[in-house]
């Protein structure tokens, strides 16, 4: 079984904003923003709506990164271990 190293606090991954090159903040999994109860829903169900293919869902965790400088959001694939 694979797991996301960022979600499980094993590592922090920093990204620079592709728009302004400022350091971006990790805001967690993108599926946590689908609705008010999405953080409590079945993860297998949420994997079907996170825009990743079935094969990618087994290898990546999609995180939302926010740039505080230019206020833009980006999705970033995090390699699971």
């Amino acid at each position: 079984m694979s797991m996301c190293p960022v979600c499980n606090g094993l590592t922090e991954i920093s990204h620079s904003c592709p728009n302004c090159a400022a350091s971006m903040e990790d805001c967690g999994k993108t599926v946590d923003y689908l609705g008010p109860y999405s953080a409590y829903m079945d993860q297998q169900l949420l994997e079907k709506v996170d825009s990743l293919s079935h094969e990618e869902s087994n290898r990546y965790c999609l995180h939302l990164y926010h740039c505080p400088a230019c206020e833009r959001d980006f999705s970033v694939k995090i390699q699971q271990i």
Side-chain angles (χ1 to χ4, degrees), residues 41-77:
M41 294 177 69
D42 181 42
Q43 292 303 309
Q44 290 179 337
L45 173 66
L46 291 173
E47 287 174 356
K48 297 184 185 314
V49 296
D50 66 1
S51 77
L52 296 175
S53 69
H54 176 69
E55 184 178 303
E56 285 183 317
S57 288
N58 293 329
R59 295 185 306 161
Y60 299 102
C61 184
L62 198 61
H63 278 245
L64 178 68
Y65 276 78
H66 175 75
C67 178
C70 68
E71 298 294 324
R72 297 196 58 191
D73 296 327
F74 298 93
S75 294
V76 176
K77 291 181 194 176

Side-chain angles (χ1 to χ4, degrees), residues 4-17 22-33 61-69 72-79:
C4 176
V6 176
C7 288
N8 288 284
L10 300 175
T11 188
E12 289 185 22
I13 298 176
S14 60
H15 284 279
S16 296
C17 177
S23 181
M24 298 181 72
E25 301 170 344
D26 178 25
C27 297
K29 295 170 67 167
T30 56
V31 293
D32 289 348
Y33 293 90
C61 184
L62 198 61
H63 278 245
L64 178 68
Y65 276 78
H66 175 75
C67 178
R72 297 196 58 191
D73 296 327
F74 298 93
S75 294
V76 176
K77 291 181 194 176
I78 306 293
Q79 178 78 43

